[in-house]
Amino acid sequence: MAVNWLLMCHGLVTLIVIISFLCGQWPIFQGTPIERLHHFITFGAYDYFLRFVGFVFGDKARRLVIYLAIIGATYYYIVKSSFRYIPGYYLGEVHKYASLLAVGIGIVLFLLTSFSDPGTVKAGNVSEYLLAYPYDNIIYTEKECSTCKIPKPARSKHCSICNRCVARFDHHCGWMNNCIGEKNTRYFLAFLLWHCLLCVYGAIALALIIAGRFKELRIAYILTVYYGVENSFSSLTPHVAQWLLNSYNTQFLLMVFLVIVSLLLAGFFGYHANLCRSNTTTNETFKWEDYISWQKKLNEARASAAALKASISGMSSEAKRPESKFKSFFRRSPLEDTQVVAKENKYDKGFFRNVFEVIFPLSTRSSFLHTKSKPS
């Protein structure tokens, strides 16, 4: 009886933690312990952990230590709780080594993204970058970097954190403690895709381990023959769930965690893959939003001024026959005739060329190194 109460308390605490993590920001939980627990899990505990790691290892190595801690702890719990069931009914011995290799590749991709040059613009290569990325005179115009004191190529940005100009700047990634730019966008995308697939692989492997144990222990047979449970999905489900939480709750929770992380990584990868498809960066997305918003306001202001001018000229002219209410009701507003602002991405060269440019950056090609600046 004591064991059952312990399992119930464990399941209840786990459920509260999961609900707090996923749903703590919902309006229904505002001002409740669920909201406070959500804040502690997503911000408070993480902030204290960051400070502790930064104090022990230093700020530069902090993100690396956190990443290794997360992936190492997850892999350790999977090994400790599940490797004794491999080989099993559905999984062979090879998955012990395949999983270790997959984690190792993920760490290599993290290191490549974190410590590789994102495409630093210097005085020695600025002329080549100026020719590789011409100004579109819309969101990029000719100017000088006020910090580096060199011409600022189009699509570049000076990162205040790294204190350098980065070609084809996308964003500064706090997890990597590095900028994502022209040279390492490919590593960043590979990192996201690989870790998404790694989480999917881990979740499927854990599900197959549980399914294999269900098959090997003949749980359905025991429930139907020895306990008289009806052989139907609705009847077996609560008993199977009880067996799962009693015997394999660690594997189940790890599987849920991996599924949630894989969905987050899939969304993040999909967003950046779509940017690469159109040869756009995160930084340019915000620039275009600001430009289009400004142009819309400018067009509306021009239309309003034109309408006001026409109204004043009409009042000063000879009196006209008053317009009927029916016509005035269906008359178009001058704001409806404002010009539609369209995004004109000069750097979009088509799907295949855009993807090729990400995989093989312009600065890594031999033609880039032999480019000479045009005479002034």
Side-chain angles (χ1 to χ4, degrees):
M1 182 65 68
V3 176
N4 290 335
W5 275 106
L6 183 62
L7 289 172
M8 288 179 61
C9 292
H10 179 271
L12 181 61
V13 171
T14 303
L15 181 63
I16 292 174
V17 171
I18 292 176
I19 292 176
S20 301
F21 178 71
L22 298 178
C23 314
Q25 288 184 314
W26 290 9
I28 192 174
F29 296 117
Q30 189 173 2
T32 65
I34 297 293
E35 183 187 31
R36 290 191 288 271
L37 183 59
H38 171 83
H39 178 78
F40 176 76
I41 294 173
T42 57
F43 179 77
Y46 179 67
D47 184 55
Y48 288 128
F49 180 66
L50 281 181
R51 293 181 184 180
F52 172 76
V53 174
F55 175 77
V56 175
F57 298 97
D59 290 335
K60 290 186 177 180
R62 181 171 59 181
R63 301 296 180 177
L64 174 61
V65 173
I66 293 173
Y67 166 76
L68 293 176
I70 293 174
I71 196 169
T74 304
Y75 187 67
Y76 168 77
Y77 280 111
I78 291 176
V79 170
K80 185 178 179 181
S81 64
S82 307
F83 268 34
R84 62 176 178 268
Y85 303 121
I86 301 176
Y89 193 86
Y90 294 110
L91 292 179
E93 186 80 17
V94 67
H95 289 279
K96 287 184 177 180
Y97 311 104
S99 61
L100 181 61
L101 177 63
V103 171
I105 293 175
I107 294 174
V108 170
L109 289 174
F110 179 86
L111 295 176
L112 276 174
T113 310
S114 297
F115 296 101
S116 61
D117 178 20
T120 306
V121 181
K122 305 175 183 178
N125 61 10
V126 66
S127 59
E128 286 82 1
Y129 274 120
L130 286 170
L131 292 177
Y133 296 110
Y135 300 107
D136 61 357
N137 294 318
I138 301 177
I139 60 174
Y140 293 113
T141 56
E142 186 175 353
K143 63 176 64 176
E144 182 183 88
C145 177
S146 58
T147 305
C148 299
K149 304 301 179 183
I150 59 174
K152 194 174 183 180
R155 315 194 73 184
S156 66
K157 182 181 179 181
H158 184 90
C159 178
S160 58
I161 301 175
C162 298
N163 194 27
R164 58 184 171 183
C165 283
V166 178
R168 198 184 180 277
F169 179 88
D170 189 273
H171 70 287
H172 180 89
C173 182
W175 275 103
M176 303 295 177
N177 196 28
N178 194 13
C179 289
I180 306 302
E182 187 235 2
K183 285 187 176 181
N184 64 352
T185 297
R186 49 184 175 173
Y187 301 139
F188 180 68
L189 285 171
F191 169 83
L192 292 176
L193 178 60
W194 185 262
H195 281 73
C196 177
L197 296 177
L198 182 62
C199 291
V200 172
Y201 170 57
I204 293 175
L206 289 171
L208 291 176
I209 286 174
I210 295 173
R213 295 300 295 167
F214 181 83
K215 193 80 173 179
E216 291 166 352
L217 298 175
R218 305 177 69 185
I219 300 299
Y221 177 80
I222 293 174
L223 288 174
T224 55
V225 174
Y226 290 95
Y227 290 93
V229 179
E230 183 183 351
N231 190 11
S232 64
F233 179 80
S234 58
S235 300
L236 287 174
T237 297
H239 299 281
V240 172
Q242 183 180 5
W243 164 80
L244 178 63
L245 293 177
N246 286 342
S247 304
Y248 300 97
N249 59 334
T250 303
Q251 288 86 349
F252 178 75
L253 292 176
L254 285 170
M255 184 174 65
V256 172
F257 170 73
L258 291 175
V259 169
I260 293 173
V261 174
S262 67
L263 292 175
L264 294 175
L265 289 172
F268 204 36
F269 172 78
Y271 170 76
H272 282 278
N274 184 57
L275 290 180
C276 292
R277 177 191 62 81
S278 58
N279 208 338
T280 310
T281 64
T282 304
N283 180 52
E284 290 170 353
T285 300
F286 292 115
K287 283 182 175 291
W288 275 113
E289 288 178 356
D290 293 340
Y291 172 78
I292 291 174
S293 176
W294 175 72
Q295 285 292 327
K296 284 182 178 178
K297 291 179 181 179
L298 184 62
N299 289 343
E300 289 175 359
R302 288 172 178 171
S304 298
L308 180 61
K309 183 178 180 181
S311 176
I312 294 174
S313 63
M315 291 174 61
S316 60
S317 61
E318 295 181 357
K320 298 181 180 179
R321 184 180 179 182
E323 188 178 28
S324 66
K325 293 183 178 180
F326 180 79
K327 289 184 178 181
S328 63
F329 180 80
F330 288 99
R331 185 178 57 198
R332 289 173 58 87
S333 169
L335 295 180
E336 295 181 17
D337 297 325
T338 56
Q339 184 180 1
V340 178
V341 183
K343 176 180 177 181
E344 300 177 6
N345 186 7
K346 181 178 181 178
Y347 311 107
D348 188 354
K349 305 171 185 176
F351 175 78
F352 292 105
R353 293 185 65 184
N354 292 341
V355 173
F356 188 79
E357 185 176 315
V358 172
I359 299 175
F360 301 102
L362 298 178
S363 61
T364 62
R365 305 176 191 178
S366 58
S367 58
F368 180 88
L369 302 176
H370 295 91
T371 302
K372 302 296 182 182
S373 59
K374 295 181 180 179
S376 55

